[in-house]
Amino acid sequence: MNSKNSFYNESLRRPLPFFLSVVKSHKWWLIISILVIIFASLMMAGSTYFFKLFIDSIEAGNINMAMKYGLMYPVLILVIELIYRVTGYTIGYLTTGINKTATDQVLEYLVRHNYSYFSNRFAGSITNKVRNITGALDQVIPDMLWGQLDTLVRFIVTLGLILTVDVWAGITFILLLVALSIINTKLSTKKTTLSKAYAEMGTKMQGR
C-alpha cells in the first residue's frame, strides 16, 4: 500500500484528521470567517455597554449625550447586522468549498476499492454514507463558527463586564458555568451511547 492509500485509510477512518484534510485547502476562508465573526461578536457584546451609556446619560440628565447615544445606537446595530451578513457569505463560500473537497476525497477513496466491495454493498447505501459525510460538514462548520465561536466570544466579553461591575457576581457566574459543564459532561456520555446506537440502527435499516 502506497503512502497516498495509507493517507486515505487513516484520514477517512477518523473524523478529526478527515476534517483537517478537507479544511487545509480552504484555510484562508476559514481564517477570514473566524476573524469576521470574532469582530462582529465583540461589537454585539459591546453594544450592551453602549446601551448602558445611553441609559446613564438619561439618568444623569445629560440630554445632549443621550441624543447622541440614541442616534448612534441604531447605526451600531445596523453595522453589526451587516457584518454578520458578511459572515454569511464567507461561511457559505467556505462550506461549499469544503463540501466539494470532501466529496472528491470520499469518491477517490471509494474508487480505490476492488469489485467485491461494490458487489457486496447496495449502491443506495454507499450514496447515503457519502451524503451523510458531506451533510455533516454542512452542519458542523456553521454551528462551530456561528454557534460555538460566537457564543464563546460573547461569554468572555460579558464575563469581563460583570467582573468590572461586581467581582462576586462574576465569581458566582463562573461557578454556575462550572456546575452546568459538569452536568453536561455527565449527560453527554449517555447521549453519545444513544447516538451511536441510532447510527448503527440506521446502517442496518439502509443495508451495508
Side-chain angles (χ1 to χ4, degrees), residues 147-159:
Q148 309 300 324
L149 179 61
D150 185 40
T151 303
L152 177 62
V153 173
R154 292 194 194 190
F155 166 76
I156 293 174
V157 175
T158 302
L159 178 61

Side-chain angles (χ1 to χ4, degrees), residues 125 128-129 196-207:
S125 176
N128 283 334
K129 287 179 172 57
K196 184 178 180 180
Y198 177 79
E200 291 175 350
M201 184 182 300
T203 301
K204 291 179 180 180
M205 292 177 63
Q206 295 176 2

